[in-house]
Amino acid sequence: MSRPESGQKRLGYSKALLRRPAAAISVAFLLVLAVAAVAAPYLAPHNPARQSLRSRLLPPMPLAGSQQTHALGTDQLGRDVLSRLLYGARVSLLVGMSVVVIAASIGTGLGLAAGYLGGRVDAVLMRIVDIFLAFPFLLLAIVFMATLGPGLKNIILVLALTGWLDYARTVRAQVLALRETEYVTAAEALGVVKSGVMWRHIFPNILASVIVIASLQVGAVIVAEASLTFLGLGVPPAIPTWGTMLATGREYMSSAWWLATLPGVAITLTVLAVNTIGDWLRDARDPYL
Amino acid sequence: MNEVRKIRSVLLLFLPAALMLGGLAVAQGQREVVVGLAGDPPGGDPHKARGAQGGHILFNLHAGLVELSGDMERVSPMLASSWEQLDALTWRFQLREGLAFHNGEPFNAAAVEYSFKRLMDPAAVRLNSDFPNFEAIEAVGDYVVEVRLKAPVPSFMAVLSGFLVVPPQYTSSVSEEQYALNPVGIGPYKFVSWQPGQPFVMEAFDGYWAGRPALDRLVFRPIPEASTRLAELLAGTVDIIAAPNYDDLKQIDGNAATRVEAAPGRRTVFLNMDHIAGLEPLQDARVRQAIAHAVDRQLLIDTLLGGYGEPLATLWRADMFGYDPTLEPYAYDPDEAMRLLSEAGYPDGFAVRMLTSEIVINKGLEVAEAVASMLTDVGIVTEVVVVPDQVRRNMYIANVNRDHLQPGEVEPMWLANWGAGIPDATSALLGLLHTSGTSSFTRIPELDARIDAFASEGDEAVRVGMAHDLQDYLYTEMLQVPLFLQSNLYGVNERLDWSARKDEYVLGMDISIR
Amino acid sequence: MAEYLAGRLVQALLVILAVTALAFVLLRVVGDPARLLMSPEGSMADLESIRRALGLDAPLWLQFVRFLKGLAFGDVGTSYTFGLPAFQLVFQRVPYTVLLTMGALLVGVPAGIALGVTAAVNRGSAVDTLATNLAVLGRAVPNFWLAIILILLFGVQLRWLPPSGSGTFRHLIMPAITLATGLAAIVARLTRSSMLEVLRADFVRTAYAKGQTPMKVVYRHAFRNALLPVVTIVGLQMGHLLGGAIITETIFAWPGIGRLLIQSINDYDYPVVQAAVLVIAFGFVALNLLVDLLYALIDPRVTYR
């Protein structure tokens, strides 16, 4: 658990990947998704914002009434669903990753500080974590959106603001355990300054579990963004995201089931893939688990 | 395993509670109708803010001196059997004798006087702003009341129909909170049970002046999600649902056991604009006319609104006093729109932001997006900004700072609706266009004077002329760009005879079981 | 122990107080409830009189002092929308929220444990992959999609269950299942890893060496010890669920705290928001405290070493 990273370890990852076809498929899926997201402007058959009220709610192929030009049908304003899914992948993945990067940085930093410095710093930081946990997320989100205005940046901020708690708690617990290990006490005995110990000796050892939490969070964030849209706090409509497509599509479950279901499937597959990779990372890191 | 067992035993403790909660059990053979509403009514107090759902409750529980018909066109006797106008500012009403409230308290002129005093109590949060220029309602005999006005009230009888009476002894003996949980009225239905979030249950009042209602029980259930309301209707567990999704109407009509009921509504939908510190191009009437020409109203109605709705020429509804039917809604004409833009000095168009919320109107998001796309097509590149509805209302209703806003503090254009409860344009003119109006972002002294004159004119013939002049003005100036009149839509179980009303309310007296 | 407990109680109280104060300040930033209460046909004078009637015309610090004073007597004010005491409105919702939480636990925890144990015992095999993915699926499927599908299937097509509302046990089933999926996923995950850890512990190996059957080992020894971290996470999750499952409650028209919270936020009904925040924070902190105490009292290493 507390061994430092090494080159041998990295070799282990690729071997483990080959032994786990589910993980291999997941990695492949995410790669394809990433490429599709980046290349959306070239891959999308239509402008995702282009409306055509006269051909709205077309079903996807091969259902009766579908059109070849709109392989996955059209939405309530006649926009091409496939194009919106492709562009949506961009924003959803961007939101997911930005939130995770911000949350992981804040959470890890504070977790390190709390666990390693201990004492009053620890007490204060952990009470802040408690306050955030006990505070209704919705109220926080609404206050933010009401004061800062709607927008992608603010959504990322709101989601990151509550996303860091998991990291802080986990990292702190790990640091508390690591602090007692021989090489940390040895480093301290040799007179290495606190920040040095933290970055050189403790940080590399908690990195793996941070990555595992992060892999789990990407999916959670994509779903959370849909929830925000459900509450009227979502991203501006000009920007298609899976979350907004899902949340606005739910009103059409009886009349055009594909509108909510297709982005729902995209989200589910992505979350499955990311989680599978997260599991694999953890297993590869610790062969016992 | 111990933990699991413990959890299980805790749960068993809660099961009886689960079975007792709610209390929806209905006695056999009762004629009950369940109505699914989109939100919670605020309660049964007729003198407090009603919100969007309150009317359903209040006009079943309570009654007023007179009644406004479902299409808002006729006023008929209710608790008053007859009336006469004594002079321009005084009316006298003869009340029905021998009536009693739900609790047996006698109804008389004193009860009416008490109710009006309670309504106008300045120390409490009341609905009194709906009764401007009312001086007093006083008992002048056991069963005679006089209504005195400070100034003429346009469509006075229609306004008066919103005034509901409460029993004085009971109401003054309980706290406001107790009244809210146990309202007593004199309407066709009496209160049975309610808690916020729970169904509002009423039952027939045997002593109703016009005879016992046909239904035994009337239940209003808050069901916020439209898909869920539809499911309840299709499952037969709810008889009437309010505000179904437009795209579900076909399914409701196609299902053998249900049908769609629709009536022209009272909500006019329009694009409002900031004329105080708004975007410069929007200060030019030609640009606003261009916007009016750029929107294909009929296409919006035929597609997004399921075919329900009527294009509007101005904010004047057809049922409003002095409506001018000769004014046609602006034709959809993108070429004319672009010509007008060039003429105004914007041949390449301009960019503008348009604010909306999901519930400002039905399908507030989709309508805004479709309109934005139509405007973009003629060169007015429109970005839609979506906010929660309460944020929208805080920006545009009673914004005390609106004369000193920083640029960008409110968006220059926004989707809005106005749902006058009476067939008169006065409230819309005062609220939306007069300098003193709480929703007004317009500052035109000359227009203020014309609105004031229209609001206080007692002579109907003169008033019609003023109404036509005002409509001409609004039609040319396009201070707000009118879109359409929203229809009131419901899904109804076929076992009911019922048709939708203009005032949006679902009233037990209108319903019968086939 | 007593000292530890006292310290934790003081900290818990501070957290609740901080959350309450934070809510108070943040609420005043978002908007003006008087504007929402006013009839659109009213005048600016009406707006002022509403403000006065609600006490919103006082300076912020005075409002806060009044609020604290009321709080000391257990009164955070009267709902602007419903005209009823805010605490009463919130407490009236508590049984529903507790019921829904319990329902979700009853479905989610056994399902999660079963999946987790199955995955751990069959580690690395196809069964493991299947069970693990099934659990992740619960987390990956968005709640409102699942909720509507359940309603359409069991409420409309099959007519087995009432589509929405509350009142009977049958009303509870679909919302509980909707919430249980996410819970089951987390429990399954944790059960799996904690089972794996326990399975390689000395006492389990000893049990095997003594010749006990695998089934017996798993259930008598491994499972009991693996359960403790699961209890911890269930406690935390319970805290979240008690805070209100807004989306599930909205779609199923379930009158829980979450729906009251969103309604009162949408109406800027300050007293109700304040009361709801207080109750939610209290529930969360109390549960956390309970879980911590439970953990400190029965640490498996203490019991079995």
Side-chain angles (χ1 to χ4, degrees):
Chain A
M1 171 135 208
S2 48
R3 270 158 306 173
E5 296 288 314
S6 69
Q8 207 185 345
K9 209 72 218 215
R10 229 161 277 138
L11 196 71
Y13 282 145
S14 42
K15 259 191 197 158
L17 183 58
L18 285 177
R19 264 190 277 123
R20 288 279 288 272
I25 295 171
S26 298
V27 170
F29 174 79
L30 285 188
L31 281 177
V32 170
L33 193 67
V35 169
V38 172
Y42 306 100
L43 293 174
H46 298 272
N47 177 344
R50 183 73 212 159
Q51 301 178 9
S52 169
L53 289 179
R54 287 196 173 80
S55 51
R56 65 194 286 269
L57 301 182
L58 289 178
M61 286 187 0
L63 296 183
S66 60
Q67 288 180 8
Q68 264 186 352
T69 45
H70 299 289
L72 292 183
T74 58
D75 73 358
Q76 65 273 19
L77 291 166
R79 298 171 296 205
D80 184 56
V81 171
L82 174 59
S83 308
R84 290 181 74 73
L85 277 176
L86 285 168
Y87 274 88
R90 283 184 139 187
V91 186
S92 291
L93 294 182
L94 176 78
V95 170
M97 301 214 294
S98 319
V99 169
V100 166
V101 168
I102 298 171
S105 318
I106 299 176
T108 309
L110 294 181
L112 276 173
Y116 189 67
L117 300 176
R120 203 165 285 170
V121 179
D122 183 30
V124 169
L125 282 176
M126 284 305 110
R127 291 300 81 75
I128 292 178
V129 169
D130 283 352
I131 292 171
F132 267 92
L133 279 173
F135 199 83
F137 164 70
L138 174 72
L139 184 56
L140 205 66
I142 286 189
V143 170
F144 253 79
M145 302 320 260
T147 42
L148 301 178
L152 206 55
K153 247 188 287 173
N154 297 336
I155 295 221
I156 292 173
L157 209 63
V158 164
L159 292 173
L161 209 58
T162 46
W164 60 276
L165 303 166
D166 282 348
Y167 299 95
R169 286 165 74 112
T170 313
V171 167
R172 172 180 172 270
Q174 282 208 322
V175 173
L176 285 180
L178 283 171
R179 209 165 55 165
E180 307 307 322
T181 53
E182 298 89 13
Y183 65 93
V184 171
T185 33
E188 279 176 344
L190 287 174
V192 180
V193 290
K194 277 188 173 182
S195 60
V197 176
M198 214 142 78
W199 285 112
R200 220 160 298 146
H201 300 276
I202 293 182
F203 183 66
N205 282 288
I206 53 151
L207 193 61
S209 57
V210 168
I211 291 173
V212 172
I213 303 179
S215 71
L216 292 175
Q217 202 183 33
V218 173
V221 167
I222 294 175
V223 176
E225 190 253 312
S227 309
L228 281 181
T229 305
F230 178 89
L231 299 168
L233 299 168
V235 294
I239 308 168
T241 73
W242 291 348
T244 47
M245 291 173 75
L246 177 69
T248 54
R250 81 182 192 280
E251 298 231 314
Y252 299 87
M253 280 294 280
S254 304
S255 49
W257 56 267
W258 58 92
L259 286 188
T261 306
L262 291 176
V265 168
I267 291 176
T268 303
L269 288 179
T270 308
V271 175
L272 267 178
V274 176
N275 274 268
T276 307
I277 294 171
D279 281 349
W280 161 67
L281 273 176
R282 188 193 51 195
D283 284 7
R285 202 181 113 251
D286 186 347
Y288 290 109
L289 288 191
Chain B
M1 286 310 255
N2 267 332
E3 284 78 1
V4 174
R5 211 171 293 140
K6 260 180 224 153
I7 290 174
R8 235 180 255 149
S9 56
V10 168
L11 265 165
L12 284 176
L13 280 178
F14 276 100
L15 278 181
L19 297 171
M20 288 184 311
L21 291 168
L24 275 175
V26 183
Q28 286 293 315
Q30 279 213 331
R31 283 159 301 174
E32 186 194 60
V33 165
V34 182
V35 183
L37 298 179
D40 270 297
D45 191 328
H47 300 153
K48 291 199 165 162
R50 289 168 186 174
Q53 311 298 340
H56 296 294
I57 303 303
L58 300 180
F59 288 95
N60 279 306
L61 279 184
H62 301 281
L65 298 181
V66 296
E67 179 187 30
L68 190 60
S69 61
D71 57 10
M72 290 189 175
E73 280 171 15
R74 282 165 295 113
V75 171
S76 46
M78 196 72 163
L79 300 178
S81 52
S82 63
W83 53 86
E84 57 181 325
Q85 186 167 13
L86 300 183
D87 60 54
L89 299 177
T90 317
W91 298 67
R92 174 170 288 178
F93 290 82
Q94 176 68 47
L95 306 182
R96 289 179 204 277
E97 298 183 23
L99 303 183
F101 288 93
H102 297 157
N103 63 344
E105 218 178 303
F107 167 75
N108 51 32
V112 177
E113 186 178 310
Y114 170 83
S115 299
F116 186 76
K117 282 205 179 107
R118 182 173 187 267
L119 170 66
M120 300 310 263
D121 182 359
V125 180
R126 299 287 196 218
L127 192 68
N128 44 25
S129 54
D130 279 11
F131 302 90
N133 290 331
F134 273 61
E135 171 86 44
I137 299 184
E138 280 169 351
V140 293
D142 282 353
Y143 293 98
V144 183
V145 293
E146 258 181 32
V147 181
R148 282 190 283 109
L149 306 175
K150 293 174 202 153
V153 172
S155 303
F156 163 73
M157 292 300 283
V159 175
L160 187 70
S161 71
F163 164 60
L164 303 171
V165 295
V166 295
Q169 267 175 28
Y170 172 75
T171 312
S172 53
S173 70
V174 298
S175 69
E176 299 248 323
E177 286 151 18
Q178 283 167 318
Y179 187 89
L181 286 177
N182 270 299
V184 174
I186 193 170
Y189 287 86
K190 58 182 184 190
F191 177 80
V192 175
S193 68
W194 175 70
Q195 286 279 339
Q198 300 282 356
F200 202 114
V201 184
M202 311 177 201
E203 64 183 19
F205 174 44
D206 292 329
Y208 186 56
W209 70 270
R212 190 181 191 273
L215 302 180
D216 299 316
R217 272 165 77 96
L218 189 55
V219 178
F220 288 93
R221 276 184 56 192
I223 308 173
E225 186 73 7
S227 304
T228 312
R229 287 199 297 281
L230 174 73
E232 294 275 7
L233 179 75
L234 295 178
T237 38
V238 162
D239 302 295
I240 300 178
I241 57 167
N245 279 323
Y246 290 110
D247 287 291
D248 291 334
L249 297 178
K250 251 187 252 160
Q251 194 184 348
I252 294 173
D253 260 338
N255 179 15
T258 56
R259 68 173 189 276
V260 172
E261 280 291 341
R266 58 191 173 106
R267 296 192 190 278
T268 54
V269 177
F270 50 90
L271 287 179
N272 208 347
M273 294 168 208
D274 180 1
H275 299 294
I276 301 172
L279 198 70
E280 206 209 313
L282 298 179
Q283 310 311 312
D284 189 319
R286 288 166 298 189
V287 171
R288 301 191 297 261
Q289 289 165 355
I291 292 175
H293 275 302
V295 180
D296 191 342
R297 294 168 181 72
Q298 198 57 51
L299 183 64
L300 288 179
I301 292 168
D302 289 343
T303 55
L304 289 181
L305 307 186
Y308 292 95
E310 289 156 27
L312 288 173
T314 69
L315 53 78
W316 227 277
R317 284 193 322 236
D319 60 306
M320 283 177 166
F321 180 87
Y323 172 70
D324 182 356
T326 61
L327 293 177
E328 291 280 330
Y330 273 55
Y332 172 58
D333 190 345
D335 295 331
E336 175 66 5
M338 285 189 265
R339 194 191 64 73
L340 281 164
L341 279 178
S342 303
E343 198 183 298
Y346 303 98
D348 303 322
F350 57 93
V352 64
R353 283 156 64 94
M354 176 165 79
L355 185 132
T356 189
S357 79
E358 245 172 290
I359 57 166
V360 54
I361 58 167
N362 294 340
K363 291 268 166 277
L365 184 53
E366 281 86 346
V367 169
E369 284 186 90
V371 168
S373 162
M374 290 169 179
L375 296 186
T376 305
D377 282 346
V378 300
I380 304 170
V381 180
T382 309
E383 184 192 338
V384 176
V385 180
V386 190
V387 294
D389 198 55
Q390 69 272 22
V391 174
R392 172 192 71 86
R393 286 159 70 190
N394 245 266
M395 270 188 196
Y396 296 117
I397 298 177
N399 187 334
V400 282
N401 307 317
R402 64 188 187 267
D403 282 299
H404 332 276
L405 290 176
Q406 300 298 314
E409 212 171 309
V410 303
E411 303 300 346
M413 190 154 76
W414 60 97
L415 198 61
N417 89 76
W418 191 273
I422 56 163
D424 198 286
T426 306
S427 75
L429 294 171
L430 281 172
L432 285 168
L433 289 159
H434 196 281
T435 302
S436 70
T438 48
S439 300
S440 163
F441 282 76
T442 306
R443 299 287 176 267
I444 306 172
E446 184 242 333
L447 179 59
D448 291 350
R450 289 169 73 171
I451 294 172
D452 287 334
F454 175 75
S456 55
E457 180 57 56
D459 184 317
E460 293 209 344
V462 180
R463 241 184 136 231
V464 169
M466 290 174 154
H468 283 217
D469 287 350
L470 274 166
Q471 284 169 82
D472 279 339
Y473 178 85
L474 297 178
Y475 191 74
T476 334
E477 287 296 318
M478 280 286 128
L479 293 166
Q480 288 103 10
V481 175
L483 297 176
F484 51 83
L485 182 74
Q486 193 169 283
S487 286
N488 298 338
L489 289 162
Y490 305 84
V492 184
N493 192 301
E494 284 287 6
R495 76 188 182 100
L496 300 185
D497 260 328
W498 178 75
S499 48
R501 296 165 64 100
K502 188 184 193 76
D503 60 18
E504 300 176 355
Y505 307 141
V506 177
L507 302 186
M509 289 300 277
D510 298 341
I511 307 172
S512 60
I513 296 179
R514 283 177 179 164
Chain C
M1 191 67 208
E3 202 178 315
Y4 170 76
L5 194 63
R8 283 300 312 259
L9 278 177
V10 169
Q11 286 182 347
L13 212 66
L14 281 177
V15 166
I16 294 175
L17 216 70
V19 167
T20 310
L22 195 66
F24 185 92
V25 173
L26 287 181
L27 271 177
R28 266 70 186 175
V29 172
V30 270
D32 178 2
R35 293 185 199 175
L36 301 199
L37 282 169
M38 203 186 61
S39 154
E41 312 184 358
S43 66
M44 285 297 182
D46 294 327
L47 185 74
E48 281 317 306
S49 74
I50 292 175
R51 276 227 183 87
R52 257 197 312 281
L54 300 180
L56 293 168
D57 54 339
L60 198 61
W61 65 267
L62 186 59
Q63 289 184 45
F64 191 59
V65 169
R66 282 178 188 162
F67 168 74
L68 287 180
K69 224 157 104 191
L71 192 61
F73 294 98
D75 175 19
V76 287
T78 302
S79 161
Y80 301 158
T81 315
F82 296 111
L84 299 169
F87 266 132
Q88 182 187 326
L89 281 174
V90 175
F91 286 141
Q92 188 232 327
R93 307 290 180 113
V94 168
Y96 292 93
T97 295
V98 171
L99 259 176
L100 187 54
T101 305
M102 289 296 172
L105 286 182
L106 193 69
V107 179
V109 173
I113 289 178
L115 281 175
V117 171
T118 312
V121 172
N122 300 293
R123 178 169 179 265
S125 72
V127 177
D128 180 14
T129 314
L130 192 73
T132 310
N133 278 332
L134 209 63
V136 174
L137 202 65
R139 226 175 116 93
V141 173
N143 265 1
F144 42 90
W145 187 86
L146 179 66
I148 294 174
I149 288 288
L150 285 177
I151 290 177
L152 290 178
L153 185 63
F154 295 107
V156 180
Q157 288 301 321
L158 299 170
R159 308 234 175 149
W160 289 354
L161 296 168
S164 74
S166 60
T168 69
F169 176 69
R170 281 149 45 86
H171 285 102
L172 180 62
I173 297 175
M174 289 197 288
I177 289 176
T178 306
L179 280 182
T181 52
L183 187 68
I186 296 170
V187 171
R189 228 186 144 72
L190 201 75
T191 307
R192 179 179 178 273
S193 58
S194 118
M195 273 294 280
L196 287 175
E197 200 158 336
V198 174
L199 279 174
R200 62 181 159 117
D202 294 340
F203 67 90
V204 172
R205 289 188 192 159
T206 315
Y208 271 118
K210 278 186 187 162
Q212 295 192 354
T213 61
M215 276 302 273
K216 228 176 180 179
V217 173
V218 166
Y219 284 100
R220 175 109 9 116
H221 299 280
F223 178 62
R224 294 184 65 138
N225 287 283
L227 208 61
L228 206 69
V230 175
V231 169
T232 313
I233 198 79
V234 166
L236 277 176
Q237 286 299 313
M238 246 173 97
H240 282 300
L241 289 178
L242 286 177
I246 292 164
I247 289 174
T248 306
E249 288 179 0
T250 303
I251 291 183
F252 288 104
W254 183 266
I257 283 190
R259 219 170 98 57
L260 182 68
L261 182 68
I262 176 109
Q263 272 180 311
S264 51
I265 290 176
N266 285 349
D267 292 341
Y268 293 154
D269 197 344
Y270 292 170
V272 180
V273 180
Q274 208 75 66
V277 167
L278 199 66
V279 169
I280 291 171
F282 180 80
F284 190 87
V285 169
L287 262 171
N288 248 326
L289 203 59
L290 216 67
V291 166
D292 279 5
L293 288 179
L294 204 70
Y295 211 82
L297 283 175
I298 36 169
D299 191 301
R301 272 155 294 189
V302 179
T303 321
Y304 289 99
R305 200 169 279 164

